[in-house]
Amino acid sequence: MTEKKDFMYVVLAIAVVLVIALVIKPAMNGEGPGPWGARDPEPTITPVWTPTVPPATTVPTPTPVPTWDGKPQNIGFVDRATYQIPTGKTIHQNLTTPPPGAAPGITRWVTYATIDGKGSGTTGVVRIPSPMWRLDYSDITTSNDEIPFFNCQVMDAQDPNRFVRIVTLNFADFLGTKGEPDLREKQWVNTFYEGNRDYYFVINTRCIDSYSIKIQVPETYVGAPLE
């Protein structure tokens, strides 16, 4: 009986030592309960925010604007279907635009582009680089003095429904200037008080051997940027 009590005292003492070692002492040291108890979660460390520096913006190198060197360019012909023009349709009108008040000084004209041909056709688009220009169609030769015909329709490339101007020469015009080249140079010229736009030309001929139409701009636009 005495041995049984001594054994109980030994077990109780061991239990007290384990409680002190595993529960009380860790609690006093702030370590939380022993391996059989729940432990507090580890604290979460929030990273310090670092601002993002945007990459430097690269400024593109501007494309240089070409300038006109003063040499005439030749405007070729294209298929009439390019501008949805019915084949064989000709408008026989001579539209004129009243010029504004005469500006002081004399304008010196230079040839910016030419249209050379013989028969009917529709040209490609040409950009007129000035706010005023003129059309010189005085260089026309005929194969028959009785029924020659020449028609040039100036079209706005941005608005194909707009006829800017229509020039028509019939047998009376050719007969009245026959042998008079100076008279042709004065009369067979049309000035346009608009520009800085794209145009194309629809030409219809009959009994015409050849023609050379000159698109002319003021001399001050030689070397000017082409817009």
Side-chain angles (χ1 to χ4, degrees), residues 93-94 137-138 140 142 144-151 166-181 183-185 187-188 190 206 208:
Q93 294 181 349
N94 197 352
Y137 46 94
S138 60
I140 302 177
T142 63
N144 188 315
D145 292 336
E146 296 180 358
I147 55 172
F149 175 80
F150 178 84
N151 175 271
I166 302 175
V167 175
T168 300
L169 300 174
N170 54 36
F171 75 95
D173 298 299
F174 288 101
L175 184 62
T177 58
K178 186 177 181 180
E180 300 287 344
L183 184 60
R184 283 191 177 189
E185 291 180 1
Q187 294 185 352
W188 292 10
N190 260 267
R206 183 181 64 228
I208 300 295

Side-chain angles (χ1 to χ4, degrees), residues 63-91:
T63 303
V65 179
T67 58
W68 180 46
D69 58 6
K71 297 179 181 179
Q73 57 176 307
N74 185 263
I75 306 172
F77 291 90
V78 299
D79 188 347
R80 293 173 67 95
T82 300
Y83 308 108
Q84 299 180 355
I85 300 172
T87 303
K89 181 178 181 180
T90 304
I91 300 179

